[in-house]
Every structure is written in C-alpha cells, then in structure tokens.
Amino acid sequence: MNAPNAQRSMVEAVKVRKRFGRTEVLKGISLEVRPSEVMCLLGPSGSGKSTFLRCINHLERIDGGELWVDGELVGYREHGDKIYELRESEIARKRAEIGMVFQRFNLFPHLTAIENIALAPVRVRQTARDQAKDHARTLLAQVGLADRGDAYPAQLSGGQQQRVAIARALAMKPKLMLFDEPTSALDPELVGDVLAVMRKLAADGMTMIVVTHEIGFAREVADSLVFMDDGVVVESGAPAEVLDAPRHERTKAFLSKVL
C-alpha cells in the first residue's frame, strides 16, 4: 500500500470513515492537501469537520479508509502486506510534527506565556530550557505579543491567549498546522489579530487546514475550500468557485445564511 500522491501531498485522505457508536460521523472523506497549501473547511455544526481534523493527528482513530500525512499512514505502519497500529510513544512523536489550535486556548493557567510555549519542546524534544524560552520569545514577537511573555493566561485577552496558543503549536516546528475554529470563542473585535497571524503563516508557506466560519478569511487566504455536510464532502474547489458559484443546492442554502 502506498500513499496515492506521496511525492506531492502533505495530507491525503482516501474514503476516510469514522463512527461514534451507531452514528457515522465521517462517511468516506477523500481530499488532498499539497505542501504550503491552505485549505479551509466550511459546513454546519455536526458536519464532521472537527472530527476529521482530530483524525489527521490520530486524536481519533479512523474506522475505514486511509489517511496519510507527508507520505506516512497516520497512526499505523506497514510491514510487508500487513498494517500495524503504532505504539502510543510513536503516535506522540508523529503528533508532535502536527500543530493543532483548538477553539478553546487550553493554556496552562499556572504558567506564563513563555512557559506555556516552551513546555512541549523541553518535555517532548528535550530542548534545553533556556533555548526553548529564547525560541518562545521569538515566537511571541511573531504573533505580536513580544511584551507579554511574563503574563499569565488570566492576564491576557481571549485573542491574546489564542495567539499564545498558536505560538505554542509553532514551537514544535510542525510541518502541518490544523486550526479548529480558532476564532469562534473570541469577541468580534479580537478576531482580526488572530486572523492576521494566520495570514502571515500562510504567506510564509505553512501548510494549513482551517475549520472556520470566517468567510472573508477563506476567500482571501485559502487555496482551496471544502464544504462538508453530514459527514461527506459536498463540494470543493477554489474559494471563488465555491463561494460565488456553488453547484450544489446544499452549499447554496448554507452560504445564503452566512454570506
């Protein structure tokens, strides 16, 4: 078994299925994300977007199909004609190569911004603490928070906390970034700063998959847009195609409510 486009894909999903009990949440998702591509996933709540993101870094195990990241099966390895699930330590090592930013910031409240960012490189990659903190300061500057390194999460706004969370994900030097509605928990006036950081990441060539309801961001930044509903890909293509000339009635109905 070989990744269908291993030489040119960062993510390759082939008929991916996932169920929780009797409910099938993903019903055969197939899509491809190239290196340095930004893909935005749109769709109503419950359509399977967040579950699909969690499958990419093996926070959820798929029940069918194949899922590849950078030419390797997610959560499994091949040996001859057989496939074996990786040990938890191997899964954790692979997961460290994929950054994920959630709706909620999940910062440790008892650690400063710099300490939150430096924690994983020290513990997972055995980076020297001083080196990890220096890198954390550089990342804070990149997300516009150079002067907030010693602040605790409770002393930061929601938008600032989310930017620290992005810096924390970048601290592991990931090959791929996953964003699960990163602005949905923010007050409207705080959204712009977070999106600005994401725009710069995209401009710098980071491969990104973004679950979002920010249609303007998707139109401006995404290379491809996927509309999901009820566990399937309903429509995909260039943002202008999907947003301005949707082909499927379900897509038209959804966009009529959000545009």
Side-chain angles (χ1 to χ4, degrees):
M1 184 188 301
N2 294 307
N5 294 299
Q7 297 305 311
R8 55 192 177 90
S9 297
M10 179 59 73
V11 178
E12 181 83 4
V14 183
K15 299 179 181 178
V16 169
R17 294 183 175 272
K18 174 65 183 177
R19 65 169 57 248
F20 295 106
R22 296 183 179 181
T23 303
E24 192 169 29
V25 180
L26 301 178
K27 304 175 181 178
I29 300 292
S30 294
L31 54 80
E32 176 190 0
V33 182
R34 305 285 184 89
S36 299
E37 179 179 346
V38 178
M39 175 180 282
C40 283
L41 304 183
L42 301 181
S45 297
S47 58
K49 309 181 301 296
S50 296
T51 297
F52 179 66
L53 280 197
R54 292 173 65 84
C55 289
I56 291 174
N57 65 2
H58 209 57
L59 288 173
E60 300 287 353
R61 290 167 169 80
I62 65 174
D63 296 315
E66 301 167 19
L67 190 52
W68 305 78
V69 171
D70 201 17
E72 296 185 344
L73 277 171
V74 172
Y76 300 88
R77 62 179 172 85
E78 299 175 87
H79 186 73
D81 294 331
K82 295 185 178 181
I83 295 177
Y84 299 90
E85 189 165 14
L86 297 178
R87 293 189 295 270
E88 284 299 324
S89 59
E90 294 175 285
I91 290 171
R93 181 169 54 82
K94 299 283 187 185
R95 189 179 290 140
E97 299 176 342
I98 303 173
M100 188 158 184
V101 178
F102 299 89
Q103 296 178 39
R104 297 291 174 178
F105 326 121
N106 299 328
L107 300 177
F108 292 107
H110 62 290
L111 300 180
T112 65
I114 281 180
E115 289 167 344
N116 264 284
I117 296 166
L119 184 63
V122 170
R123 290 195 175 178
V124 178
R125 298 208 190 280
Q126 282 75 54
T127 304
R129 191 174 299 276
D130 288 346
Q131 181 182 343
K133 286 189 172 183
D134 285 344
H135 189 216
R137 291 186 184 93
T138 299
L139 291 170
L140 277 176
Q142 287 180 16
V143 300
L145 294 172
D147 60 340
R148 304 296 279 153
D150 294 327
Y152 290 90
Q155 299 170 314
L156 301 172
S157 71
Q160 290 172 330
Q161 289 186 60
Q162 191 63 296
R163 283 185 280 160
V164 172
I166 293 172
R168 178 180 59 184
L170 293 173
M172 295 297 283
K173 301 179 181 178
K175 63 178 74 172
L176 168 67
M177 285 285 285
L178 309 175
F179 293 87
D180 187 6
E181 297 191 39
T183 60
S184 65
L186 302 179
D187 292 333
E189 65 268 22
L190 302 177
V191 169
D193 290 337
V194 173
L195 293 182
V197 171
M198 295 171 65
R199 285 188 185 93
K200 186 174 188 308
L201 283 179
D204 290 343
M206 175 63 72
T207 310
M208 298 160 57
I209 304 178
V210 185
V211 173
T212 185
H213 294 295
E214 299 290 340
I215 303 297
F217 174 84
R219 183 188 295 276
E220 175 190 351
V221 178
D223 300 295
S224 59
L225 192 150
V226 173
F227 175 68
M228 289 178 60
D229 187 34
D230 195 28
V232 301
V233 173
V234 176
E235 193 163 343
S236 63
E241 293 175 6
V242 177
L243 295 174
D244 297 334
R247 301 181 302 275
H248 197 282
E249 289 302 320
R250 184 66 188 92
T251 314
K252 293 177 183 177
F254 175 79
L255 291 175
S256 71
K257 296 177 181 177
V258 299
L259 288 178

